[in-house]
Amino acid sequence: MSGSADDITAEVVAEHGLTPEEYERVLRIMGRAPKITELGIFSVMWSEHCSYKSSKFWLKKLPTEAPWVICGPGENAGVIDIGGGKACIFKMESHNHPSFIEPYQGAATGVGGILRDVFTMGARPVANMNALRFGQPEHPKTRHLVGGVVAGIGGYGNCMGIPTVGGEVNFDPSYNGNILVNAMTVGIADTDRIFYSAAAGIGNSVVYVGSKTGRDGIHGATMASAEFDDDSDEKRPTVQVGDPFTEKLLLEACLELMATDAIIAIQDMGAAGLTSSSVEMSDKGGVGIEFDLDLVPVREEAMTPYEIMLSESQERMLMVVKPGREDMARAIFEKWELDFAIIGKVTDTNRLVLKSGGEVVCDIPVPPLVAEAPEYERPWVPTPPSPMLAAEDALAGVDISPADALKALVGSPDLCSRRWVWEQYDHMVMGDTIRRPGGDAAIVRIHGTDRALAITTDCTPRYCFADPVQGGRQAVAEAWRNLTATGARPLAITDNMNFGNPERPEIMGQFAGCIEGMAEACLALDFPVVSGNVSLYNETNGTGILPTPAIGGVGLIDDIRGPMPGAAFTAKDEDIVLIGDTQGHLGRSIFLRLMAGDDTTRNAGAPPPVDLAAERRNGDFVRGLVTDGDATACHDVSDGGVLVAVAEMALAGGIGANITLPDNALPALAWLFGEDQARYVVTTTNADGLLAAAQAAGVPAIAIGRTGGTVLTVGAGNSISLSDLRNAHEGWLPGYMATS
């Protein structure tokens, strides 16, 4: 796009996603009408995707500090101290809109973008995770989207040589018109070699490195800040195209240069490309930047300043280099066969000045561009509470045996094995993966040490929809439980806040409620937020997704030479113990979703309440069991309840179990499939000692059975073979994807 200030009509302003009021603010800041390139820069920097204008007010309520937090939200990724002179650097972000339009490239470039966020801070990425949500399997687009997204994640991550070690895949009708692709990367750096993005040093060179700039991805940030309609496929040109082989070269070149003393500041070119990277570097450093756009490496002819600044071409970085180090830096990047171009300098003007063809095409004061970006406390209404659903009411009209119910649950899209997905990812490359996908959390050794990171992602959107506060608490608490079940000490989270249109008060109410619940859980569990991403406008034709605040958690295992039980049964004739209180809560459960005969009951009731004090007490107790070697297996109880957790442990270990129903007033199906929180299933060779320790700690615990055989039996005469269970569990997803 080209043009002058005279071309800026109300229609052009609207096309750039700015409201009339926001454009008036632009006029005030500039003191004149903007040129088209300047308007484009305001447009992307003030988009929801870059400015967080609808969410900043609420995000400030999240706890972000702890003694081990080195850098919280505001940089490319969060940084925590993991001891031994090492830091863990991690973040999760979304590529939802691009992935719906073009699933392979959308997902692939989502992986590439989050990798750059991590290695731009000096970390070598050691693990990838993802949280994927698709529409109902019957929807005509779902199979295509699943296949494309999984192939894109695997294609990019595998080529990069970074293991993809776990994640989530869920299906729900709310995602029919707007899937979610949330990618997470974890990296490790030396604590004294962490790089930040604040530009400094008047006159220092600003350097462009990586791939050449093309026209792909222009207005990608703006596209990601608007809801879809029936014509969304026309936005395919705004989806970036990735090249993982170039990204690998860029990673190695950046890390090689980071080993020197040449870099003052570095920033990846993600959303809004050269615009956001230069503005953020300038603003954080309190300096100005001047570019000659004729020096930017381009791969397409006759690119305008507007296109160069707004392109979201992949595999690119922007750096400020120390004086006299330019030639050394150039030699490194040319060795790796990457572009290296000095395109400008740091100035003392606090302005972004762009020249092209010897003319100034942009001159914007940076501080107000950032500080005066719109920030809205949008109107919101709380989500009306759902009534608690008594077990007897939930089970009215349900006539099914526990064994038949279990088989149906583990063979459903909600709970079936995700093996078809993760087998397409290289999860063993680099040789440090200790625990593969499929358990509560992945475990990756810190290279060259006897310590390891535990990594997980989690969220239960149906809970968040019914009660955002409880859902927000539960998302954080379950991530904490997943880490705890491995024996790891949970340290911090990254979040990916996926919601519908924030201009609808009920959607903002969901956002506000989830933030409230998340904040409470983070404080209660000493589990701060150190990075994250907000993705709004996830809806099509006014129909929004379920509120989905995806949580990525990281914990530390101090010594992998000690006990490290997993979720698999390890031996026969061991006692099975349930930790935590069971009330048989079936509201919003997977059991009701699949088994309720009455459609009004399938998604009825309040979600299970989250007692954060109980979460902390029970979790700390379980972590002690694991690290002390008193538990031979451990698995948290989540979707599907106790019997699903036991079945997953049996399938993982190839050992059956005999489960004894407790002598209480709860209906058997409620006790077996209720989704009460703060619970774990453990196995032990000393049940009496474990139960005594639990009683002393004030932790509810009961023995519920013993391991052994090749059959899972519940009560008297209610059995299913592990082979039948495995066929159901492993069969659905490959069968679905093989269907033409």
Side-chain angles (χ1 to χ4, degrees):
M1 184 174 290
S2 61
S4 64
D6 294 336
D7 301 316
I8 309 299
T9 63
E11 290 75 17
V12 171
V13 171
E15 287 171 359
H16 282 75
L18 295 171
T19 67
E21 295 76 17
E22 289 169 349
Y23 184 62
E24 286 297 318
R25 187 177 299 194
V26 171
L27 294 176
R28 179 176 56 78
I29 290 171
M30 297 295 290
R32 57 175 172 79
K35 301 173 182 178
I36 194 67
T37 300
E38 295 166 333
L39 181 69
I41 288 170
F42 274 100
S43 166
V44 294
M45 291 305 301
W46 288 8
S47 68
E48 193 73 57
H49 195 75
C50 292
S51 75
Y52 297 92
K53 57 189 177 186
S54 298
S55 57
K56 273 190 291 190
F57 173 83
W58 294 101
L59 295 174
K60 294 172 185 176
K61 300 179 181 295
L62 292 170
T64 60
E65 297 179 351
W68 51 88
V69 174
I70 295 173
C71 177
E75 272 291 341
N76 289 287
V79 187
I80 57 174
D81 193 329
I82 54 175
K86 298 292 184 180
C88 175
I89 299 179
F90 66 104
K91 186 184 178 183
M92 181 189 293
E93 70 175 18
S94 62
H95 236 220
N96 303 336
H97 290 65
S99 299
F100 183 76
I101 295 169
E102 211 304 295
Y104 185 96
Q105 290 296 346
T109 52
V111 173
I114 194 63
L115 282 167
R116 287 194 301 281
D117 277 342
V118 168
F119 74 73
T120 194
M121 296 194 71
R124 179 171 291 279
V126 297
N128 289 333
M129 302 277 282
N130 52 75
L132 313 177
R133 289 178 169 85
F134 300 99
Q136 61 194 129
E138 299 79 13
H139 191 274
K141 283 191 174 182
T142 299
R143 187 179 291 103
H144 164 70
L145 292 169
V146 171
V149 165
V150 171
I153 291 170
Y156 206 101
N158 294 352
C159 291
M160 282 291 296
I162 310 296
T164 300
V165 295
E168 302 176 88
V169 181
N170 295 120
F171 299 88
D172 187 89
S174 77
Y175 307 108
N176 282 348
N178 201 127
I179 65 174
L180 303 185
V181 176
N182 297 170
M184 176 179 173
T185 292
V186 177
I188 294 175
D190 294 334
T191 53
D192 60 352
R193 302 295 295 173
I194 298 168
F195 291 82
Y196 299 97
S197 58
I202 307 306
N204 285 343
S205 298
V206 182
V207 179
Y208 173 117
V209 298
S211 291
K212 290 179 169 61
T213 296
R215 289 187 170 91
D216 53 319
I218 292 173
H219 270 298
T222 308
M223 179 265 291
S225 305
E227 65 181 85
F228 284 148
D229 54 31
D230 293 332
D231 299 321
S232 293
D233 281 350
E234 296 176 3
K235 296 178 180 179
R236 188 166 279 109
T238 64
V239 177
Q240 312 93 317
V241 177
D243 179 356
F245 300 103
T246 300
E247 179 106 337
K248 175 64 173 174
L249 299 177
L250 183 62
L251 163 66
E252 298 299 340
C254 286
L255 292 180
E256 183 174 339
L257 186 60
M258 288 168 170
T260 73
D261 65 345
I263 297 176
I264 293 174
I266 183 168
Q267 175 76 35
D268 87 296
M269 295 191 215
L274 190 53
T275 290
S276 63
S277 56
S278 56
V279 169
E280 289 170 12
M281 293 176 78
S282 174
D283 181 65
K284 289 176 181 176
V287 296
I289 285 181
E290 181 178 306
F291 288 153
D292 182 348
L293 298 183
D294 296 339
L295 302 176
V296 174
V298 296
R299 55 179 162 83
E300 298 186 51
E301 295 182 358
M303 289 189 68
T304 65
Y306 181 100
E307 292 171 329
I308 291 171
M309 291 303 296
L310 270 64
S311 166
E312 295 185 8
S313 295
Q314 298 292 286
E315 295 88 38
R316 303 179 300 159
M317 294 281 195
L318 197 64
M319 304 180 194
V320 177
V321 178
K322 289 183 179 179
R325 301 293 194 274
E326 295 91 347
D327 288 344
M328 179 193 64
R330 182 189 302 275
I332 290 173
F333 280 87
E334 289 182 348
K335 180 187 75 173
W336 289 99
E337 299 182 343
L338 296 167
D339 279 288
F340 179 101
I342 299 173
I343 64 170
K345 62 183 178 181
V346 177
T347 69
D348 62 358
T349 64
N350 285 334
R351 304 182 75 86
L352 177 66
V353 177
L354 309 177
K355 297 179 178 178
S356 179
E359 298 182 359
V360 175
V361 295
C362 169
D363 187 349
I364 299 177
V366 171
L369 174 63
V370 177
E372 297 186 38
E375 181 175 339
Y376 299 121
E377 187 179 352
R378 296 197 183 275
W380 64 282
V381 294
T383 300
S386 298
M388 297 295 288
L389 186 64
E392 293 77 7
D393 295 334
L395 294 170
V398 176
D399 184 16
I400 191 169
S401 72
D404 288 343
L406 177 64
K407 184 177 179 179
L409 261 64
V410 301
S412 71
D414 295 283
L415 295 176
C416 71
S417 168
R418 272 46 175 164
R419 182 186 299 273
W420 181 90
V421 173
W422 56 257
E423 281 189 341
Q424 297 186 53
Y425 306 148
D426 189 338
H427 46 270
M428 298 303 293
V429 66
M430 299 180 76
D432 284 319
T433 303
I434 295 175
R435 189 157 300 158
R436 305 182 183 193
D440 291 305
I443 299 176
V444 178
R445 180 177 57 185
I446 300 168
H447 191 74
T449 76
D450 292 317
R451 299 180 301 128
L453 298 174
I455 312 164
T456 189
T457 62
D458 225 302
C459 180
T460 312
R462 64 186 187 276
Y463 293 173
C464 297
F465 179 78
D467 186 333
V469 177
Q470 292 288 3
R473 288 176 188 151
Q474 194 272 341
V476 173
E478 186 166 351
W480 191 86
R481 284 201 306 272
N482 287 341
L483 300 173
T484 292
T486 70
R489 175 164 48 91
L491 292 178
I493 67 170
T494 182
D495 59 44
N496 206 143
M497 307 294 289
N498 307 275
F499 290 78
N501 187 339
E503 297 167 47
R504 293 164 53 194
E506 68 272 23
I507 300 298
M508 271 316 300
Q510 293 172 353
F511 191 95
C514 284
I515 288 286
E516 179 184 340
M518 289 167 58
E520 292 173 358
C522 289
L523 285 170
L525 302 173
D526 288 330
F527 206 27
V529 180
V530 297
S531 62
N533 174 242
V534 176
S535 176
L536 303 179
Y537 296 94
N538 288 290
E539 55 184 75
T540 299
N541 294 327
T543 301
I545 64 167
L546 294 178
T548 310
I551 304 297
V554 173
L556 182 66
I557 295 174
D558 291 316
D559 193 345
I560 57 176
R561 297 168 299 178
M564 288 185 59
F569 290 157
T570 58
K572 65 179 183 178
D573 296 326
E574 293 189 340
D575 291 302
I576 305 170
V577 177
L578 174 62
I579 307 292
D581 189 38
T582 299
Q583 299 293 322
H585 196 102
L586 288 171
R588 305 289 167 165
S589 67
I590 294 289
F591 179 87
L592 278 196
R593 174 168 164 151
L594 296 176
M595 300 298 166
D598 184 353
D599 286 343
T600 61
T601 308
R602 291 182 185 274
N603 293 297
V610 179
D611 182 336
L612 292 169
E615 291 281 2
R616 184 65 184 258
R617 181 193 65 229
N618 297 359
D620 288 348
F621 176 75
V622 166
R623 188 181 310 106
L625 293 179
V626 172
T627 57
D628 291 343
D630 295 327
T632 55
C634 181
H635 187 25
D636 93 301
V637 180
S638 55
D639 285 348
V642 171
L643 193 56
V644 168
V646 170
E648 290 171 344
M649 297 172 81
L651 289 171
I655 299 171
N658 192 327
I659 301 301
T660 303
L661 292 168
D663 185 15
N664 60 32
L666 281 178
L669 292 175
W671 186 85
L672 291 167
F673 298 109
E675 295 181 3
D676 307 271
Q677 300 294 293
R679 295 187 299 165
Y680 305 78
V681 174
V682 301
T683 56
T684 180
T685 58
N686 181 15
D688 290 342
L690 192 156
L691 293 172
Q695 185 177 18
V699 172
I702 58 169
I704 63 171
R706 286 181 70 81
T707 63
T710 59
V711 173
L712 188 59
T713 301
V714 181
N718 204 307
S719 303
I720 184 171
S721 71
L722 290 190
S723 60
D724 283 353
L725 207 57
R726 190 178 308 281
N727 288 338
H729 188 52
E730 298 280 355
W732 184 84
L733 190 52
Y736 172 72
M737 294 306 298
T739 305
S740 60

